Amino acid sequence: QVQLVESGGGVVQPGGSLRLSCAASGFTFSTYGMHWVRQTLNKGLQWVSFMRYDGSNTYYADSVKGRFTISRDNSKNTLYLQMNSLRIEDTAVYYCAKDQRWLQMEGLDAFDFWGQGTMVTVSS
Amino acid sequence: DIQMTQSPSSLSASVGDRVTITCRASQSIRTYLNWYQQKPGKAPELLIFAASNLQSGGPSRFSGSGSETDFTLTISSLQPEDFATYYCQQSYSPPQSFGQGTKLEIK
C-alpha cells in the first residue's frame, strides 16, 4: 500500500532553516510528480511546491519562491523541502502528496495520497 | 490566481440527511475540480476527482457534479463517519488552490 512519511519538522527562529523529508513506499516513486502542501488554521490548505517525476521541473507558490527548494532522490524514494529564511507565517503542518496520474508534467492533478504531516513552528 | 469559495463554511446535519456543499471558482476551471475529506488530526483524503469521479474505495453515497465555475458535492445519506471537513481544489491552473473548507457537524 502507498505510504508517505514526513519528517524534519520542529521549532525554529525567524530567519532559520529546516529540511523536510518525505519517504515514499508502495508505488513506483520515480514515475509520479510530488507536492508539498501546508495547512494553517487561518489560511487553510495552501499548495507550496511541485517537482516533476524525473526532477526536471519545479514550481513554487509565490509566497515561498526564492526561500524554499524542493528536490527528490528517486534512488531513495524520498522527496525533500529545504526551507530557508523562515518567517512566522510559514508556521503550518506540512504534507507531502502524490500526483494521482503517473508521468504528469505540470503537477496539475488531484492528490491521491498524503502523508501524515509534520509540524513546522517558526517562533522567536 | 484562481480563487475557490465554498459554501456554507459550516453545516449541521443529522444521520440520514442529504447534504450538498457548493464550491465556486473565480473563473472557468472546466471540470478540473477535486474534493477532499479531512478528519481531525488526519491528512486530507481524495474523495472525488475531475468534478464527478468517485475515488477508488470511496462510498457511493458521495457524488460530485458541475463544470466551469460551479460545483457541488452531495452526500445522499449521511453516515456517522462522514462528519468531517470537506475541501474543494482546482487543478486547472497553477497555483493549485483550495476552498476554505466546509465543516460538517452533527446536529
Side-chain angles (χ1 to χ4, degrees):
Chain A
Q1 70 282 18
V2 172
Q3 276 201 311
L4 298 171
V5 179
E6 300 97 335
S7 60
V11 180
V12 62
Q13 292 187 335
S17 298
L18 276 177
R19 188 196 198 201
L20 306 183
S21 299
C22 170
S25 60
F27 65 103
T28 307
F29 181 72
S30 61
T31 62
Y32 287 89
M34 295 293 296
H35 302 257
W36 288 100
V37 179
R38 65 187 181 185
Q39 185 170 30
T40 66
L41 279 176
N42 289 342
K43 292 193 172 183
L45 289 163
Q46 180 188 22
W47 171 82
V48 172
S49 183
F50 163 77
M51 174 163 266
R52 197 176 288 182
Y53 59 92
D54 59 0
S56 64
N57 212 349
T58 58
Y59 299 101
Y60 297 94
D62 286 346
S63 57
V64 307
K65 203 172 293 183
R67 300 187 297 122
F68 290 12
T69 303
I70 190 172
S71 61
R72 63 192 295 161
D73 185 337
N74 284 347
S75 69
K76 295 182 178 179
N77 291 346
T78 303
L79 179 74
Y80 303 100
L81 185 68
Q82 178 67 43
M83 304 187 295
N84 297 332
S85 303
L86 281 161
R87 303 169 180 169
I88 290 174
E89 56 265 33
D90 295 319
T91 295
V93 175
Y94 285 74
Y95 296 100
C96 63
K98 170 187 165 292
D99 263 350
Q100 182 186 30
R101 296 170 294 168
W102 74 320
L103 302 180
Q104 288 301 295
M105 306 296 278
E106 306 298 326
L108 293 174
D109 201 4
F111 307 150
D112 64 345
F113 287 94
W114 301 56
Q116 85 287 353
T118 188
M119 183 71 208
V120 172
T121 302
V122 185
S123 174
S124 54
Chain B
D1 295 359
I2 298 174
Q3 309 303 317
M4 307 300 294
T5 304
Q6 289 181 233
S7 60
S9 296
S10 63
L11 174 60
S12 294
S14 301
V15 172
D17 283 354
R18 179 183 181 90
V19 166
T20 297
I21 297 169
T22 296
C23 179
R24 176 163 287 176
S26 59
Q27 65 185 72
S28 174
I29 58 171
R30 295 166 60 183
T31 57
Y32 289 87
L33 190 283
N34 311 302
W35 290 98
Y36 298 86
Q37 178 193 67
Q38 186 177 32
K39 296 182 179 178
K42 302 290 188 181
E45 291 185 1
L46 180 62
L47 201 51
I48 300 283
F49 65 94
S52 60
N53 296 276
L54 187 65
Q55 174 65 352
S56 174
S60 58
R61 61 183 178 274
F62 289 92
S63 64
S65 65
S67 64
E68 307 296 339
T69 60
D70 294 305
F71 302 86
T72 58
L73 173 69
T74 299
I75 310 172
S76 61
S77 178
L78 270 175
Q79 299 302 300
E81 60 268 29
D82 301 337
F83 292 94
T85 300
Y86 294 85
Y87 295 92
C88 62
Q89 175 222 7
Q90 65 85 13
S91 53
Y92 176 74
S93 173
Q96 296 89 323
S97 47
F98 293 86
Q100 82 280 12
T102 295
K103 187 173 184 179
L104 182 51
E105 298 174 306
I106 301 173
K107 184 183 286 185

